[in-house]
Amino acid sequence: MRCPAAIFLCLYSPLLWSSAAVAAEPLDTVQSIIESQIAAFLDDDAATAYAFASPAIREKFATEDAFFDMVRKSYAPVYRAGNFAFGRSKIVGDMVVQEVLISGPDGKDWTALYQLLRQPDGSYRINGVHIVRAAPGPEI
């Protein structure tokens, strides 16, 4: 099969691939952070789960145990997530909002909207999670 030159150039242009990789990079990073924190909750690893929290969250919950206790009591679908999948995402400046569809320990489906902020050192930290029983509307 012959590929027209314009399509060939679009598919194989390193410049196009590198710009797509740069655009995907923050999303890959924040999704990895969310996966790692969920794994830490499932392993009852308070220190690792707390390490992904932003400075503002750490200010509210000064110890790993206080943070872990809050998540256990108020965010059961995140604390004991069953299956989960990433949904839509939105990048606004230094903030990424990532939708996560979660099957909670009660067997019900939940939507968690994670907000991650880029830190001065370039890393991302979780700055908050909003959980809703129903899926959000067309925009996040």
Side-chain angles (χ1 to χ4, degrees), residues 89-106:
S89 58
K90 183 176 184 178
I91 301 172
V92 179
D94 286 340
M95 179 182 66
V96 177
V97 177
Q98 176 65 59
E99 178 183 64
V100 182
L101 310 169
I102 298 176
S103 176
D106 56 3

Side-chain angles (χ1 to χ4, degrees), residues 21-140:
V22 170
E25 184 180 331
L27 297 179
D28 292 342
T29 300
V30 300
Q31 289 175 359
S32 177
I33 290 168
I34 293 167
E35 285 178 340
S36 296
Q37 189 181 58
I38 289 173
F41 287 136
L42 291 171
D43 290 340
D44 287 321
D45 184 351
T48 299
Y50 189 66
F52 297 110
S54 73
I57 298 298
R58 289 169 169 256
E59 196 171 295
K60 280 182 163 179
F61 304 96
T63 67
E64 298 165 358
D65 291 336
F67 171 75
F68 208 70
D69 195 44
M70 176 274 300
V71 173
R72 184 177 323 129
K73 290 177 181 174
S74 302
Y75 295 87
V78 171
Y79 174 66
R80 287 293 179 245
N83 293 326
F84 67 92
F86 294 107
R88 300 167 293 179
S89 58
K90 183 176 184 178
I91 301 172
V92 179
D94 286 340
M95 179 182 66
V96 177
V97 177
Q98 176 65 59
E99 178 183 64
V100 182
L101 310 169
I102 298 176
S103 176
D106 56 3
K108 295 179 182 173
D109 294 329
W110 298 84
T111 298
L113 297 173
Y114 279 77
Q115 179 192 73
L116 290 92
L117 295 177
R118 187 179 182 106
Q119 303 302 300
D121 67 359
S123 66
Y124 283 88
R125 295 288 182 259
I126 299 170
N127 196 53
V129 179
H130 178 70
I131 297 180
V132 292
R133 178 72 177 96
E139 293 190 20
I140 60 173

